[in-house]
Amino acid sequence: MPSSVKSQLNKKVFVGASSIIIALLLYTALLPKQAENLFTVIQAGIIENGSWFYVLSVASIFFFVVFLGLSRYGDIRLGPDHSTPDYSLASWLSMLFAAGMGIGLMFFGVAEPLMHYLSPPTAETGTVAAVQEAMKMTFFHWGLHAWAIYAIVALVLAYFSYRHNLPLTLRSALYPLIGDRIYQWPGHLVDIFAVVSTVFGVATSLGLGASQVNAGFSYLFDIDVSTTNQIIIMCVITGLAVISVATGLDKGIKILSETNMILAVILLLLIFILGPTVFLLQAYLQNIGDYLADIVHNTFNLFAYQKTNWIGGWTIFYWGWWLAWAPFVGLFIARISRGRTIREFIIGVMLIPTVFTLFWMTVFGNSAIDLVYNQGIVALGDMVSKDSSVALFVFFDNFPMTEVLSFFSVLMIVIFFVTSCDSGAMVVDMLCSHGENDTPLWQRIYWAIGIGIVAAILLLAGGLNALQTMTIASALPFTIVLLLAMVGLIKSLRVEAFKQDSQLITAIPHASNENNDSWQMRLKSVVDFPNKGNVTKFINQTVVPAFDLVAKELEKNQIKVDISHQDGLSFIVKHGEEQAFVYRVLARKYSQPDFVNEDDEDAQSYYRAEVHLLEGGQDYDIMGWSKTAVINNIIDQYHKHLHFLHLLR
């Protein structure tokens, strides 16, 4: 970070993002009807003309993350090579789970599978096919794709911050593309987009949470379900979030996340035990199979051949929601993931929460569908169709201890609510403070209150539809930034891979030779580009005697060595039925580098005396080494081979 960038408020990002958010809110509050019409037009336009872009972007992100997890880049650590994770695995998973899915699981766990069953995109309502399609699409929306979006944002942020000491903000991902201009207006704009996207994404979640808490209070305490009561709930929750965010990450947010994880597991087990347990286990395995079998088809499915608005109301909304939440959740996950390898990080972020999330959807979703499809409790389906926020509590009416389950759920929603609000405030504050977490308290309070105000105004202006539209719209510019960030990440990872390769080569010892050649002679061998004759002469005069000396010494220990001149010069030690040791020196031809000016056509190439082992070339050149250096290198490689055989036994 340039010396001119200090660890304080970034006024350009703070003022820019605040101005955009305030302008949108004033327009929404002063002209509610016009705003509602505009929201409708924007959503319809994006779905009609931009749905392909969201689908293609999410598909690219998903396959890119899978590639990184399986590739050689997976061994790179998010931090120095000697770093260790800051948090235990249990704390880490609890925090990323609470931030990533929280309220959504409580709101949609019963509602979405039932709504898909009652109105499936392609199957006939009331059939087994409708049941299977309902769960398959629910899994698709809440599965690997959602967590891949979170993973790539978090990975980009953590890699550039902890590995390259850049600010923990989204602008750092563009460093390989624009260099130090990330500290200028291009970088400011990226962080402004991230702030706006985060605020509206978290506000959507708070709107869903407020409506569901209101529905829960209505069931428990007979409180009216109304926008006014939902605004009051938001004010109370925002106040609790202010208290939590004031205590910091390691106290308030961590404790709330771990508490909610425990409560979620308890509630899940209660429904699992009280419900059709064996059927749920069978359904879970089959749901996973159906989901994985159709994952590529569903990833690219735009329903282009069906005249339906289903994809806009569901898949595009979800992709927009996950993308809008990605700066928030991604930065939060990056903040808690220092010290993990890329592969460990991807497995942890993508697979473990997905397994739990899909089990949650099976337990709640399949149980709800079973009540309607097999037990004929159509009232549950009717209530969900009228008001999805009450789905969970109507569902509990069909279980023992209804009031206890409902109270338990409301408590969880409130904690998820607070966790989302205070985590969102912390993340937005970091985006506005050069990635620093140790900021003045007023900044975190400003954003905690601000997120609550945004959710309240949008709820007043157009209800959940307005929140949904703003989520999809705000995700559009961020998606473009994210795709560019992926290009920057892979470019930087390729450079790091080349660096690691070069370090392997330079790690090979170069012993001084018997004649005590000066460093000038050693440098001459480095910059010399010999012809084939010189390399052949070196092999015959230096490498062959080195092979002979090592062979004689090994034979004293009853180890037979074969020296072959076929296909280069080979030193072969056989170990019975175990893998033989092969050390081969080959004269390899290469084109001369540009800075070597040779008019002779024969001098357009040069040769290297390269070492090859049984598994292939090792990409280093021993031309010019002394006989002692060659002997030491043979012994070093033979030592590694013996250790390899030891590990195999």
Side-chain angles (χ1 to χ4, degrees):
M1 185 184 298
S3 58
S4 59
V5 178
K6 299 178 181 179
S7 299
Q8 60 182 12
L9 181 67
N10 187 333
K11 294 181 180 179
K12 294 182 177 65
V13 175
F14 180 84
V15 174
S18 297
S19 300
I20 292 174
I21 293 169
I22 291 171
L24 288 170
L25 292 180
L26 286 174
Y27 171 71
T28 302
L30 297 176
L31 300 169
K33 290 294 182 183
Q34 186 176 343
E36 187 175 356
N37 292 334
L38 180 63
F39 290 157
T40 303
V41 172
I42 290 174
Q43 183 170 349
I46 291 176
I47 291 171
E48 183 177 352
N49 301 308
S51 57
W52 66 269
F53 176 72
Y54 281 99
V55 168
L56 182 60
S57 298
V58 172
S60 301
I61 291 168
F62 172 68
F63 289 113
F64 182 70
V65 172
V66 172
F67 161 74
L68 289 181
L70 297 175
S71 71
R72 60 180 297 190
Y73 306 128
D75 296 326
I76 296 174
R77 195 168 290 278
L78 300 177
D81 289 336
H82 60 273
S83 60
T84 56
D86 291 343
Y87 297 94
S88 68
L89 183 62
S91 294
W92 181 57
L93 293 175
S94 297
M95 286 191 283
L96 69 88
F97 175 78
M101 292 298 179
I103 293 174
L105 286 182
M106 302 298 294
F107 191 92
F108 288 105
V110 171
E112 181 172 348
L114 263 181
M115 293 170 77
H116 289 331
Y117 166 71
L118 297 172
S119 182
T122 59
E124 183 180 348
T125 304
T127 62
V128 174
V131 176
Q132 291 179 301
E133 186 168 74
M135 295 311 303
K136 187 189 304 181
M137 297 313 299
T138 301
F139 271 38
F140 177 59
H141 292 150
W142 290 84
L144 296 171
H145 292 73
W147 286 99
I149 294 171
Y150 292 161
I152 191 60
V153 176
L155 182 59
V156 165
L157 293 169
Y159 173 78
F160 285 106
S161 177
Y162 302 137
R163 193 81 179 175
H164 295 280
N165 296 317
L166 293 173
L168 189 59
T169 63
L170 201 67
R171 68 175 69 201
S172 299
L174 301 185
Y175 187 82
L177 302 178
I178 62 176
D180 284 339
R181 284 198 295 161
I182 65 168
Y183 301 112
Q184 300 168 5
W185 272 110
H188 299 327
L189 287 175
V190 169
D191 284 346
I192 288 172
F193 283 145
V195 169
V196 174
S197 180
T198 298
V199 168
F200 284 112
V202 176
T204 301
S205 181
L206 298 189
L208 296 173
S211 64
Q212 197 171 26
V213 171
N214 193 182
F217 285 163
S218 175
Y219 259 73
L220 291 172
F221 310 115
D222 200 26
I223 296 175
D224 291 338
V225 176
S226 66
T227 302
T228 302
N229 285 336
Q230 290 171 16
I231 299 299
I232 294 172
I233 291 169
M234 279 187 178
C235 293
V236 174
I237 299 298
T238 302
L240 295 174
V242 168
I243 296 172
S244 176
V245 79
T247 63
L249 175 63
D250 292 330
K251 293 181 180 178
I253 297 175
K254 179 182 177 182
I255 293 171
L256 285 175
S257 298
E258 292 178 348
T259 301
N260 231 16
M261 189 68 179
I262 294 170
L263 293 176
V265 171
I266 293 173
L267 180 63
L268 181 67
L269 291 176
L270 282 174
I271 301 301
F272 177 66
I273 294 170
L274 294 173
T277 305
V278 175
F279 165 71
L280 292 175
L281 288 173
Q282 295 172 338
Y284 182 51
L285 293 177
Q286 186 166 331
N287 290 342
I288 289 177
D290 291 342
Y291 166 58
L292 294 177
D294 286 350
I295 193 168
V296 175
H297 168 74
N298 286 331
T299 297
F300 296 98
N301 187 12
L302 278 159
F303 294 92
Y305 300 106
Q306 289 101 356
K307 297 296 181 182
T308 176
N309 294 323
W310 186 91
I311 189 172
W314 287 106
T315 303
I316 302 305
F317 164 65
Y318 271 119
W319 289 176
W321 192 10
W322 303 142
L323 286 163
W325 262 54
F328 152 47
V329 181
L331 198 151
F332 183 79
I333 294 175
R335 172 69 179 79
I336 63 177
S337 299
R338 185 180 187 274
R340 301 189 183 276
T341 65
I342 290 178
R343 183 172 295 109
E344 178 187 10
F345 173 87
I346 289 174
I347 292 173
V349 173
M350 278 189 68
L351 293 185
I352 297 177
T354 296
V355 169
F356 182 88
T357 300
L358 299 186
F359 187 61
W360 180 285
M361 288 299 186
T362 296
V363 170
F364 284 85
N366 272 113
S367 295
I369 293 175
D370 181 67
L371 290 172
V372 177
Y373 179 68
N374 290 322
Q375 301 182 37
I377 304 176
V378 295
L380 175 58
D382 294 338
M383 287 295 292
V384 169
S385 299
K386 291 177 182 177
D387 184 1
S388 56
S389 64
V390 302
L392 184 64
F393 304 103
V394 178
F395 172 71
F396 287 149
D397 282 342
N398 300 279
F399 288 84
M401 305 182 298
T402 300
E403 291 79 8
V404 174
L405 293 173
S406 297
F407 177 79
F408 207 64
S409 298
V410 170
L411 178 63
M412 284 182 58
I413 296 167
V414 169
I415 298 177
F416 272 134
F417 208 152
V418 175
T419 306
S420 297
C421 192
D422 60 11
S423 302
M426 184 198 75
V427 165
V428 172
D429 183 37
M430 290 177 66
L431 288 168
C432 295
S433 305
H434 305 292
E436 295 296 324
N437 190 38
D438 186 16
T439 58
L441 181 60
W442 74 265
Q443 292 178 209
R444 285 172 279 166
I445 293 176
Y446 171 88
W447 287 113
I449 296 174
I451 290 171
I453 292 174
V454 169
I457 292 177
L458 288 176
L459 200 63
L460 284 170
L464 292 178
N465 287 335
L467 291 165
Q468 181 173 323
T469 302
M470 288 306 299
T471 296
I472 296 174
S474 64
L476 186 60
F478 173 71
T479 304
I480 298 171
V481 171
L482 184 55
L483 293 175
L484 292 174
M486 288 163 55
V487 176
L489 177 63
I490 194 65
K491 184 176 180 180
S492 185
L493 289 174
R494 289 183 71 247
V495 171
E496 181 140 358
F498 291 143
K499 184 191 300 182
Q500 290 179 342
D501 290 343
S502 67
Q503 288 173 342
L504 290 175
I505 296 173
T506 56
I508 299 167
H510 191 299
S512 59
N513 65 26
E514 299 86 353
N515 298 320
N516 294 320
D517 285 344
S518 66
W519 63 267
Q520 290 94 338
M521 291 296 293
R522 182 178 174 188
L523 180 61
K524 183 179 184 302
S525 69
V526 171
V527 299
D528 189 28
F529 298 94
N531 57 32
K532 185 176 182 180
N534 289 336
V535 172
T536 303
K537 181 179 178 182
F538 165 76
I539 291 174
N540 291 332
Q541 293 185 353
T542 302
V543 179
V544 170
F547 278 17
D548 290 337
L549 288 172
V550 177
K552 289 178 182 177
E553 197 66 25
L554 286 175
E555 287 171 356
K556 291 179 183 179
N557 293 280
Q558 310 302 315
I559 299 174
K560 189 175 185 306
V561 177
D562 292 330
I563 297 177
S564 170
H565 292 267
Q566 186 177 0
D567 297 325
L569 182 66
S570 300
F571 183 93
I572 305 169
V573 182
K574 295 182 179 179
H575 292 275
E577 295 182 359
E578 295 183 317
Q579 191 176 108
F581 170 70
V582 178
Y583 184 104
R584 181 179 292 116
V585 179
L586 299 176
R588 298 286 303 279
K589 182 179 180 181
Y590 293 90
S591 298
Q592 288 277 19
D594 292 337
F595 65 84
V596 178
N597 296 318
E598 294 286 352
D599 295 330
D600 185 1
E601 192 167 313
D602 292 335
Q604 295 299 313
S605 60
Y606 73 103
Y607 284 76
R608 285 164 38 113
E610 291 189 350
V611 173
H612 285 232
L613 303 178
L614 188 64
E615 56 268 30
Q618 301 303 295
D619 291 327
Y620 65 93
D621 177 21
I622 63 172
M623 177 64 189
W625 286 23
S626 67
K627 182 167 61 178
T628 302
V630 175
I631 290 172
N632 285 332
N633 191 243
I634 297 169
I635 295 172
D636 182 58
Q637 295 289 5
Y638 186 56
H639 186 195
K640 293 178 181 178
H641 181 78
L642 291 179
H643 183 64
F644 162 67
L645 295 180
H646 164 73
L647 294 176
L648 286 180
R649 295 188 185 109

